[in-house]
Amino acid sequence: MPARRFLLPFSALSLWTSASHAALDPQVSTYFEQHCLKCHDADVQKGDFRLDTLSPKVGFENNPQWLEIMERINSGEMPPKKEKVKPSAEASARVVEWIASKMREGESARMASRAKVTFNRLTRDEYVNTMRDLIGVEYDAKDPGALLEDPEWHGFERIGSVLTLSPSNIEKYLAAAETVLNEAYPDPPAKNAKPAPPFGGSKPVLYEEQVSERHRERLRELGLLDKVRYEMWPGDIFRYSLLKDPLPEAGVYEISYTLSGLKPPKGRAPRLKVYESKLDRVLFEQDIVADEDKPITVTFRTHLPKGRPNIEVYNDVPGPSNLPRSGRHGDVPFISTKIGRSPWQMKLTDEQGQPRYPFLIMDSIAWKGPIIADEEKKLRDDYMPTEEGNMQQVRDCLATLARRAFRRPVTDEEIDGYMTIVKSELEAKEKFRDAVKAGMLAILNSKSFLFLAEGDENAQRNTLNDWEIASRLSYLLWSTMPDTELLALAEQGKLHDKAELSRQVVRMLKDERSERFTDAFSSQWLRLRKVGMFQPDKKLYPDYDKALENSMIRETQTFFREVLKSGLTLREFLNSDWSMMNPLLAWFYGLPTAISGADEFVRVSLPADSHRGGLLTQAAILSLTSDGVRHRPVHRGVWVMESIFGKSPPPPPANVDPIATNPATPKATLREKLEAHIHDASCAACHAKIDPLGLAFENYDAIGRWRTEEVTDGVGANPKVTATGKLPDGREYKDADEFKKLLAHDIDAFNHTFIEKLATYGLRRSMSFSDRDELKKIAAVSKAKDYRLRDLVEALVCSELFLKR
């Protein structure tokens, strides 16, 4: 009788049509009936817990209770071990997985819920790009004390319901806008003041007074005083980049270094890294390869504050320590490797004159700035009246700024509010220029600037208007405000035309600003932010450094860009016979690829035995699923499950012992330890789905290097690596190459996953149950176009889903 009372509500719900997603799965309902009800119904409520009264809308109602049920079953606590009839591990795992999936559905629905107006705050990068395009100022939002880091949801950093606005955000936005306006409109010089001379010039690597006095006259007599250079071994620091005068204003400065870089025959190239320590910001970095007698000049532009920056230049490559006495510079000026160094100093070359380590030779530095482009100056002039006291000019300037900043038409009432601010500042005896800046400051801190608003306050509107489409499209492909053409089309009401949208996608993807999309989306979809989160152990991986880490990330980002720009298909992400390489990465992979240039990534064909190709065997992906000491096959499997198949496994049971790291006798691979570790049947059920997706990559260590044996603690020879496996559907593979080919047969599943990830990024919200039909339509278009990435992006933009709130 109790069982019938429990089953009746769920049985009734199961009679609903398949259109309803509120019914319990029949297998789940049967599981509860057989194993749970007799202790948790109307008659018996052990632990004061009832199941028969819970809502079947799992993930939407009674979430704390359903979460507790999932955790109790997952941990093996329920059903109790004393029960005579116990469920199988597979049955319990199926129930846990079903509840977990329903909980995620509920979370997605809540994240996607929309009121009359949806406000999506600009991300930190979008704020920087928008401010640059609006006022022509490069704001450094990642500097200490600037904007806070954006929170993420499942890797995505653009989700509107996550990007909330806290009091600390408001303070930082106020400070940011003031910084931008002060740079754009600095105090004008006094009327009778002489114009300041342009800042800039060049300097030797060391001024004469910096050369040791006892060597200065000798070098002058030899005609070598102006030929003093500065040699830098791995890890060395150069601190003399500045001119004698401080930087006159905040702005963009151009800096040039003239130098040589000597590369050992089989080693890495030296790497120039320019770092501003007060800002904790790398200004520039690049590998340098140039003969000692043929130095090159590298030039870059960077934004710096007014005053004297604290710039340090590094030869940023691994190498011998410079702490011993032999690593010091000494007071003997360096001229060339032929003249040599003091006997006690570290030798830079061998007997044949070949460099022993990658080292730099610095010659001179040049500065120029602040640099303001003509289009930047015009933008700033558009918003500042030319005639002091002319209030009509003030109104026109503020209206121009507001229209561009709000990315839509503005009303007279809105401009009246900003004019009131200006007038009140003038009444308080503020300078005219500062009063206008107060009105501009209010615009730049308005919700209409900081947020992308979709919808109407006075009506329930579920589709976007043309202005909203322009912003959604621009922030998808350019991560910035719409340009003049998009705004003109919005004003003409043409952005609901699918043919026009297609033309705009083609145009915008040709623009260099689309690299922001390829970098940002690939990083968020693939979780590249996690690369380097656990820094690899220096003793185990001495070749790993920040330069290599950045190259790993850039390979994946530029690979995505190449697939998009070259009209390639989603299949390339799963398996390819090419990749994107720079010299450092080719050296790391051990590929015999001759790549000219310094850090430039170029497309290269991969040898048949390279064990690379596609995303899954790129070092960035392999390293982000490691812990800095060892690879993590389970984490790799979860990554494949989530990123390629769009499924998340249920949470692991509580109180499970970690895999042993203590020495084994004889030595054992991590795979062998993992197989021995999974002794609990409930663990094995889930691991059977996850592990085969990660064990395919056993030939790759924690930083993505290829290997055939695993270096591990213990006694005896290092064990050979085994990368064979069997997928849950019975298909077998012998290594990662065969595994990737199997994935290519599942292209439709990957197509659906990719489209959902792209839609989540583009619409700035999670996909819900109600979006499924539209997602299927986009997937069908993608399949008809042979899964070409470029056509897939266009299909999303031209879909009804993209035009909805």
Side-chain angles (χ1 to χ4, degrees), residues 652-670:
N655 303 319
V656 175
D657 294 331
I659 298 174
T661 58
N662 56 300
T665 306
K667 289 185 176 183
T669 64
L670 188 57

Side-chain angles (χ1 to χ4, degrees), residues 296-310:
I296 61 173
T297 299
V298 294
T299 300
F300 62 93
R301 290 185 176 184
T302 186
H303 186 272
L304 292 169
K306 180 180 180 179
R308 300 195 68 83
N310 190 15

Side-chain angles (χ1 to χ4, degrees), residues 92-331:
S92 293
R94 187 163 50 247
V95 171
V96 169
E97 188 173 353
W98 185 85
I99 296 176
S101 67
K102 289 299 179 182
M103 297 295 282
R104 285 192 294 271
E105 279 187 19
E107 180 188 19
S108 294
R110 290 189 295 276
M111 299 283 287
S113 63
R114 296 176 289 284
K116 284 187 176 181
V117 182
T118 303
F119 293 98
N120 298 313
R121 179 165 64 84
L122 298 181
T123 68
R124 188 166 62 174
D125 288 341
E126 289 170 339
Y127 181 90
V128 169
N129 295 333
T130 303
M131 199 65 88
R132 183 195 305 115
D133 293 343
L134 180 65
I135 299 184
V137 170
E138 184 80 42
Y139 177 67
D140 303 307
K142 296 180 181 180
D143 285 349
L147 300 187
L148 300 174
E149 188 175 26
D150 295 320
E152 59 139 61
W153 179 80
H154 292 252
F156 290 103
E157 302 167 11
R158 291 163 44 102
I159 305 302
S161 54
V162 174
L163 292 172
T164 55
L165 192 67
S166 65
S168 59
N169 286 126
I170 296 172
E171 292 176 1
K172 290 184 179 299
Y173 278 128
L174 280 167
E178 288 178 342
T179 299
V180 168
L181 291 175
N182 288 338
E183 181 174 329
Y185 306 103
D187 292 334
K191 290 183 179 180
N192 299 323
K194 294 182 179 180
F199 175 84
S202 61
K203 69 177 290 292
V205 67
L206 294 175
Y207 288 113
E208 286 188 11
E209 57 267 28
Q210 292 176 283
V211 177
S212 173
E213 185 176 356
R214 70 190 187 93
H215 293 288
R216 200 181 306 159
E217 288 305 317
R218 176 179 62 84
L219 292 176
R220 183 178 284 114
E221 292 174 1
L222 293 172
L224 298 176
L225 187 56
D226 61 345
K227 295 179 175 56
V228 172
R229 312 171 86 179
Y230 196 90
E231 79 283 22
M232 299 179 65
W233 56 85
D236 200 3
I237 307 176
F238 173 77
R239 293 187 172 92
Y240 313 114
S241 293
L242 302 182
L243 300 179
K244 293 182 177 180
D245 295 326
L247 307 185
E249 298 291 345
V252 174
Y253 288 84
E254 184 176 277
I255 310 174
S256 299
Y257 288 90
T258 299
L259 73 171
S260 300
L262 304 192
K263 176 181 175 296
K266 295 184 179 181
R268 288 176 59 167
R271 186 171 187 83
L272 174 74
K273 183 175 83 171
V274 185
Y275 173 74
E276 214 292 354
S277 60
K278 287 190 292 187
L279 302 177
D280 189 23
R281 175 153 50 94
V282 176
L283 307 182
F284 178 78
E285 55 184 331
Q286 178 180 304
D287 285 355
I288 305 293
V289 180
D291 291 341
E292 180 181 357
D293 56 352
K294 295 179 181 178
I296 61 173
T297 299
V298 294
T299 300
F300 62 93
R301 290 185 176 184
T302 186
H303 186 272
L304 292 169
K306 180 180 180 179
R308 300 195 68 83
N310 190 15
I311 293 179
E312 299 170 348
V313 178
Y314 292 85
N315 181 6
D316 195 34
V317 287
S321 171
N322 58 8
L323 293 178
R325 181 171 180 268
S326 63
R328 299 174 189 165
H329 277 276
D331 65 350

Side-chain angles (χ1 to χ4, degrees), residues 230-234 236 262-265 292 315 320 326-329 334-343 345-361:
Y230 196 90
E231 79 283 22
M232 299 179 65
W233 56 85
D236 200 3
L262 304 192
K263 176 181 175 296
E292 180 181 357
N315 181 6
S326 63
R328 299 174 189 165
H329 277 276
F334 177 79
I335 303 297
S336 73
T337 58
K338 297 179 179 64
I339 295 177
R341 312 170 79 205
S342 297
Q345 288 180 301
M346 185 182 296
K347 301 305 178 194
L348 301 181
T349 59
D350 59 22
E351 294 179 355
Q352 287 73 41
Q354 293 290 337
R356 300 177 69 233
Y357 306 103
F359 69 93
L360 297 172
I361 302 176

